[in-house]
Amino acid sequence: MITNLLVANRGEIALRVVRSCRESGIGTVAVHSDADAGQAHVAAADAAVRLPGVTPAETYLRADALVDAALAAGADAVHPGYGFLSENAAFARAVLAAGLTWVGPSPESMALMGSKVESKRVVAAAGVPVLAELDPDAVTDAEFPVLVKASAGGGGRGMRIVRERAELPGEVRGARAEAASAFGDGTVFCERYVERGRHIEVQVLADTHGTVWAVGERECSIQRRHQKVLEETPSPAVDDRLRERLFDAARAVAETVDYVGAGTVEFLVTESGEFFFLEMNTRLQVEHPVTECVTGLDLVAWQLRIAEGERLTGSPPPVRGHAIEARLYAEDPAAGWRPGSGTLHRFAVGEVGTEFGVPDRHGIRLDSGVTDGCEISVHYDPLLAKVIAWAPGRRAAARRLASTLASARIHGPVTNRDLLVAVLRHPDFLAGETDTGFLTRHHAATVLAAPSESVVRWSALAAALADARHRRAHARVLAELPAGWRNVVSAPHTTVYRHDGTEHAIHYTATRAGLVPADDEDTGVTVVSSAPDRVVLEIAGVRYAFDVARYPGSTAVDSPLGSVSLVPVPRLPDPAAALAEGSLTAPMPGTVVRVAVTVGDRVRAGQPLLWLEAMKMEHRVAAPADGVVRELTATPGCQVDQGSVLAVVAPDGGEADDADDVTTAKEPA
């Protein structure tokens, strides 16, 4: 019997495991880095052990430190969660060697499934269809497009789509470097890339007595950068016959490797109904809540029971209704999915029926590891929360989830919330026309998620009027005068905000009736009421309330028309803050992992100059225009803050140091 369990993870998955342990009467031990000392999972556990350091390599990726923490806290079992060391066979062996119970499959099964190359050979021998492995050095023209994949790990790291032979060598080199950095293994391979394929996975549960359950399928085709964004069950593309074939294949994979515990077998399904084994995740999946909603199973509780030797009896429960999960990330889809960091000032999702648990009725489930005021660190995955809707049918679930996300209050780093809402309301999604190229095909990052200029303008107007009321309410003298009052009326008041790099100047005047807009473009907009935190505007005869919240350096405006984040522009900017023309600044805090140029190199617009690693992903910094590298302050391994100058590219026609000795930069090796 497990009496005290260490959760070798952080954030929302740590809280999820703690929830099931509490309901099972099992004590819990949390671990935390120095950056996570104040996080919710630390407070939720019965005890906590500090892992000195900040980066994953110093903390959550240290098997020895995690085992020592378990022993020091008197734990008798370890649950790895997902990510970090959850699929690391060496960590599982270390846990078992210390006399602790490992809540997961055997190290042998993990090792076998941990290599995409070896796992495909094993399952192919069991009769499960696989895509043929292609040698990167021997791919023929007829085999393009191909997908370059890392043999170890997942999460999109080391993965590239290549459509032309000339691009293959460079993409293979980049994939190897990224895989080596992420997993310590630079092995990559190629396979045929299936256009408009669907990512379908099967949840399995297997006990130590030989019983394997296939517990429903999940569709995870809505992806960015080969990482899942929306997941649902059941799949709109899977009929009873295909479901039976997928379940048979998933059980065959589990039985072939003597699998124990909860795991997921992932397949690629073509438009014609063919399917191919991709990989097996030997852990709990991020998207497990949708399966829990429609089956009523507590998968974490079953992981614990199976680790204690309990049998699976009878048959898996039937599927009831439809569930969709949205992964809410701190990232900017319009900026190449750039992750965000900093203070999350407010996080509020309304009408939540269940948190972390298996719901007993249709509604919204929330699995989140963040709270108001917490810091989103650059060192970890940018996932803020998972919001799950469970309803009688698919369209009802999509509608409920979109409404819940749209009305949420999320103030701080930019998120993918608007993108998620747009996808959930898109006709093709509602029709079940989803595949792994959905976001690219619909230009989702730059079109679907972008608020209209009118909504931004109205939000900025509301912010300006609310700010005027706020200043008057906090005035040290003459606070009784109305906002904007002047003895002699002259020019209108002006407030400027920046949104996505564009400045919006708002002009307004104070009249006997109150504050009114003074711009021709705001004709037809009537101010119904204004207060420091709420402004009601009548637009084309319809009233809308705009809630305004102020934070250092930002203003958040929420309304039924959408949420808009604005940056107030100071009336008198600091001259010292001006940057030299052509300066490239760090879009986020991170570590410089590769530099492809030197001072004096001539570069082309869009050419990669260097790569930053932040939030478990590499991010390319490219030349903004054709020119010459005049300065280069970034070096491999150095830590940089957001806004730090990394390089200066003198545009063509500009001056460059040693201009007579300019070379042309080569593509990175």
Side-chain angles (χ1 to χ4, degrees):
M1 295 290 291
I2 297 172
T3 60
N4 196 24
L5 179 138
L6 180 131
V7 187
N9 219 294
R10 64 179 298 277
E12 58 90 16
I13 184 54
L15 285 165
R16 171 69 188 89
V17 175
V18 167
R19 165 71 179 261
S20 285
C21 285
R22 185 179 297 121
E23 292 182 349
S24 300
I26 297 173
T28 53
V29 180
V31 290
H32 66 87
S33 67
D34 291 336
D36 279 346
Q39 294 297 312
H41 75 277
V42 179
D46 298 315
V49 179
R50 172 184 175 237
L51 302 175
V54 173
T55 67
E58 297 172 313
T59 56
Y60 301 107
L61 290 175
R62 282 193 56 190
D64 59 336
L66 293 168
V67 172
D68 289 346
L71 296 174
D76 50 23
V78 173
H79 191 300
Y82 51 68
F84 294 130
L85 295 177
S86 62
E87 295 182 276
N88 188 293
F91 178 45
R93 291 191 183 99
V95 169
L96 294 170
L100 304 170
T101 297
W102 170 253
V103 181
S106 70
E108 292 72 26
S109 296
M110 296 172 66
L112 200 55
M113 291 291 100
S115 166
K116 291 186 177 67
V117 173
E118 185 60 27
S119 64
K120 289 174 71 172
R121 293 173 183 160
V122 170
V123 302
V128 178
V130 301
L131 286 169
E133 178 189 341
L134 304 175
D135 183 347
D137 297 324
V139 178
T140 66
D141 291 337
E143 291 170 323
F144 284 92
V146 298
L147 188 63
V148 181
K149 300 176 72 173
S151 178
R157 302 296 298 268
M159 193 176 291
R160 309 280 197 281
I161 299 172
V162 184
R163 299 185 180 277
E164 298 180 8
R165 171 175 293 281
E167 300 173 352
L168 186 58
E171 294 293 355
V172 168
R173 288 194 296 268
R176 284 173 176 158
E178 188 175 2
S181 173
F183 314 121
D185 183 350
T187 304
V188 301
F189 65 97
C190 294
E191 64 185 22
R192 174 168 64 93
Y193 177 66
V194 177
E195 302 279 5
R196 304 198 70 160
R198 289 178 181 260
H199 188 124
I200 309 291
E201 61 190 30
V202 178
Q203 175 71 58
V204 296
L205 273 177
D207 64 22
T208 57
H209 308 282
T211 300
V212 179
W213 278 1
V215 192
E217 86 281 355
R218 297 185 287 256
E219 172 144 356
C220 310
S221 297
I222 304 296
Q223 302 181 0
R224 62 29 169 176
R225 297 181 69 165
H226 309 294
Q227 293 180 314
K228 304 163 189 173
V229 178
L230 284 170
E231 302 100 346
E232 60 180 307
T233 186
S235 167
V238 176
D239 58 22
D240 291 341
R241 183 172 178 274
L242 178 56
R243 181 171 294 112
E244 183 179 355
R245 293 166 56 211
L246 288 168
F247 284 10
D248 287 344
R251 283 190 291 261
V253 171
E255 290 166 356
T256 297
V257 298
D258 296 324
Y259 196 80
V260 170
T264 301
V265 185
E266 303 195 349
F267 299 96
L268 184 67
V269 180
T270 69
E271 291 183 281
S272 64
E274 290 183 283
F275 66 84
F276 303 95
F277 170 83
L278 289 176
E279 62 180 331
M280 183 176 192
N281 293 130
T282 56
R283 54 169 169 80
L284 195 68
Q285 290 280 81
V286 177
E287 57 272 21
H288 75 275
V290 294
T291 298
E292 293 187 325
C293 285
V294 299
T295 63
L297 290 172
D298 184 330
L299 293 176
V300 175
W302 267 110
Q303 286 184 296
L304 299 171
R305 293 171 191 162
I306 289 171
E308 293 178 327
E310 189 168 330
R311 291 177 179 269
L312 293 167
T313 58
S315 302
V319 169
R320 305 165 299 152
H322 200 99
I324 306 176
E325 172 181 290
R327 299 192 193 188
L328 191 62
Y329 284 106
E331 66 181 12
D332 187 351
W337 312 100
R338 184 177 68 204
S341 60
T343 303
L344 184 64
H345 300 292
R346 188 179 184 198
F347 184 79
V349 178
E351 300 181 358
V352 173
T354 307
E355 292 191 48
F356 296 108
V358 180
D360 56 7
R361 60 185 178 86
H362 294 144
I364 295 295
R365 167 175 166 173
L366 176 66
D367 286 20
S368 173
V370 298
T371 55
D372 290 358
C374 74
E375 290 295 317
I376 307 304
S377 172
V378 71
H379 297 291
Y380 313 117
D381 188 276
L383 180 68
L384 300 179
K386 302 178 308 194
V387 186
I388 306 99
W390 178 35
R394 185 172 184 272
R395 282 178 172 263
R399 180 174 58 196
R400 181 69 184 274
L401 183 54
S403 175
T404 297
L405 288 168
S407 62
R409 297 295 187 252
I410 309 168
H411 302 163
V414 65
T415 73
N416 66 337
R417 182 260 304 276
D418 292 342
L419 171 71
L420 296 171
V421 173
V423 171
L424 288 164
R425 291 173 173 170
H426 195 280
D428 283 1
F429 178 85
L430 294 174
E433 298 295 329
T434 58
D435 58 75
T436 54
F438 184 95
L439 295 184
T440 301
R441 187 167 61 257
H442 293 290
H443 307 287
T446 55
V447 177
L448 288 184
S452 71
E453 285 298 315
S454 295
V455 171
V456 174
R457 176 75 189 179
W458 296 329
S459 298
L461 172 61
L465 301 181
D467 283 349
R469 293 297 189 190
H470 181 265
R471 288 192 297 270
R472 176 51 49 194
H474 292 79
R476 294 185 179 181
V477 296
L478 302 178
E480 68 279 2
L481 292 179
W485 183 87
R486 288 181 178 178
N487 191 35
V488 178
V489 177
S490 56
H493 297 270
T494 300
T495 304
V496 181
Y497 300 96
R498 185 180 298 111
H499 177 267
D500 282 349
T502 300
E503 291 191 355
H504 298 267
I506 303 299
H507 306 288
Y508 61 93
T509 57
T511 68
R512 292 181 182 273
L515 301 176
V516 296
D519 290 315
D520 291 340
E521 60 186 297
D522 293 322
T523 300
V525 178
T526 302
V527 181
V528 178
S529 63
S530 58
D533 58 356
R534 170 170 279 209
V535 173
V536 177
L537 301 178
E538 185 174 291
I539 304 168
V542 182
R543 291 188 179 188
Y544 299 98
F546 294 77
D547 293 318
V548 180
R550 295 166 203 81
Y551 306 101
S554 68
T555 299
V557 183
D558 296 294
S559 77
L561 300 174
S563 298
V564 176
S565 180
L566 303 168
V567 177
V569 177
R571 301 177 69 179
L572 300 173
D574 182 2
L579 298 175
E581 182 182 7
S583 295
L584 278 77
T585 60
M588 70 208 78
T591 302
V592 178
V593 291
R594 286 182 285 158
V595 178
V597 296
T598 59
V599 172
D601 283 352
R602 183 173 295 283
V603 295
R604 302 182 303 276
Q607 179 179 329
L609 305 185
L610 55 93
W611 285 260
L612 284 177
E613 184 173 68
M615 291 184 167
K616 299 170 66 177
M617 295 295 292
E618 285 191 2
H619 307 275
R620 185 177 69 175
V621 177
D626 293 349
V628 176
V629 179
R630 188 174 66 187
E631 296 180 22
L632 188 64
T633 58
T635 57
C638 72
Q639 298 279 336
V640 296
D641 294 324
Q642 183 173 354
S644 300
V645 176
L646 305 173
V648 177
V649 176
D652 278 344
E655 296 182 1
D657 296 336
D658 302 321
D660 294 333
D661 188 26
V662 169
T663 59
T664 299
K666 296 181 174 60
E667 291 294 336

